[in-house]
Amino acid sequence: MKIENEDALDNFVICHKCFTLNEETPIKDGSKACCSECGGILYRYDSKLIDHGLALSITGFIFFVLANLFPLIQIDILGSEQFITIPKTIFSLLDNGFYIVGLICAFLIFIFPLMIFVINMLLFLLLKMERGEKLTKELLILLSHITPWSMADIFFISILVALVKLVAFGQIHIGVAFWALMIFVLIDIYITKSIHLSEIWMLRKRILLNEDEK
């Protein structure tokens, strides 16, 4: 297989199972393309993906904002009440001199998850409007780089572990932000597992091809 230049790589898809390079071919709505070597699914095409992805991204963004505005949990130990929020946790680490840990937490549990959902909203909105050929490409590349670094789900699990240990020392009251964070994590996992970047790339190419034909 001979590739003439770097731009020609846009017409090929790498199989995530056997890493075989497959040439991308147009498929019908609702169908899927499989690897020529191992038969694994390379990408799907679904015209309803834009509305579906945009709705999930907006919903996840709303719950992320709620998770950061309200207290996660309230701890009552010997009459002393303390509220824990995500921003307060990050600022507490910074105030106590844990600058590296604080910055890492800020990026992994706040900045990157926020960026992912903002990028998704902007990306699906541009595709719905059939605009932003270069911008959508840059957003997809950026999304592929930061998605593996989002640790909101790990942070939520760590909260559950901490609650199990703290319940023996005092009263624990679950806040609104806890449930909002749980829903956000579920939406985040669902988007990651059900909407693959290869499908968005295919959808983007279909829309741009339609524009060229017009």
Side-chain angles (χ1 to χ4, degrees):
M1 183 182 295
K2 184 178 179 181
I3 300 177
E4 297 180 356
N5 50 56
E6 185 178 348
D7 294 335
L9 288 173
D10 292 339
N11 298 322
F12 293 87
V13 179
I14 296 179
C15 178
H16 295 287
K17 291 185 178 180
C18 65
F19 302 103
T20 300
L21 194 62
N22 295 265
E23 186 174 2
E24 186 178 290
T25 56
I27 56 177
K28 296 181 180 180
D29 190 5
S31 60
K32 59 185 178 182
C34 298
C35 177
S36 58
E37 189 69 23
C38 67
I41 298 176
L42 294 174
Y43 53 86
R44 299 181 178 89
Y45 173 60
D46 185 2
S47 58
K48 299 179 181 178
L49 182 62
I50 295 179
D51 294 331
H52 185 57
L54 183 59
L56 286 173
S57 300
I58 294 175
T59 304
F61 176 78
I62 293 174
F63 280 105
F64 182 81
V65 173
L66 293 176
N68 285 272
L69 287 179
F70 296 95
L72 284 167
I73 57 175
Q74 175 186 340
I75 306 175
D76 187 358
I77 301 177
L78 299 177
S80 176
E81 295 184 355
Q82 290 187 351
F83 295 92
I84 298 177
T85 64
I86 296 177
K88 184 179 179 180
T89 301
I90 297 173
F91 287 126
S92 295
L93 291 171
L94 297 175
D95 290 338
N96 287 280
F98 299 100
Y99 301 111
I100 297 179
V101 177
L103 288 175
I104 292 175
C105 289
F107 276 96
L108 296 183
I109 68 177
F110 183 81
I111 297 177
F112 285 154
L114 177 62
M115 286 180 61
I116 289 172
F117 275 80
V118 171
I119 290 174
N120 277 328
M121 286 192 298
L122 182 58
L123 183 61
F124 286 117
L125 185 60
L126 287 172
L127 291 176
K128 188 176 182 63
M129 297 170 61
E130 300 185 359
R131 296 290 186 272
E133 176 182 351
K134 293 183 179 180
L135 181 57
T136 52
K137 182 178 180 178
E138 296 298 326
L139 289 175
L140 282 167
I141 295 174
L142 178 60
L143 193 61
S144 66
H145 287 303
I146 65 175
T147 297
W149 295 100
S150 177
M151 301 293 178
D153 52 343
I154 305 300
F155 177 65
F156 182 73
I157 293 175
S158 66
I159 293 176
L160 295 178
V161 174
L163 288 177
V164 173
K165 295 183 177 181
L166 289 173
V167 71
F169 297 95
Q171 294 183 347
I172 306 296
H173 303 282
I174 304 299
V176 175
F178 178 87
W179 305 111
L181 181 62
M182 181 181 69
I183 297 175
F184 168 78
V185 169
L186 292 175
I187 294 175
D188 184 31
I189 294 175
Y190 179 79
I191 290 178
T192 303
K193 297 298 182 181
S194 63
I195 302 178
H196 301 284
L197 287 178
S198 58
E199 299 175 22
I200 305 178
W201 277 107
M202 171 60 68
L203 192 61
R204 172 183 173 272
K205 287 186 177 182
R206 285 294 184 94
I207 293 175
L208 294 179
L209 285 174
N210 288 337
E211 284 186 348
D212 294 339
E213 291 175 357
K214 293 176 183 179

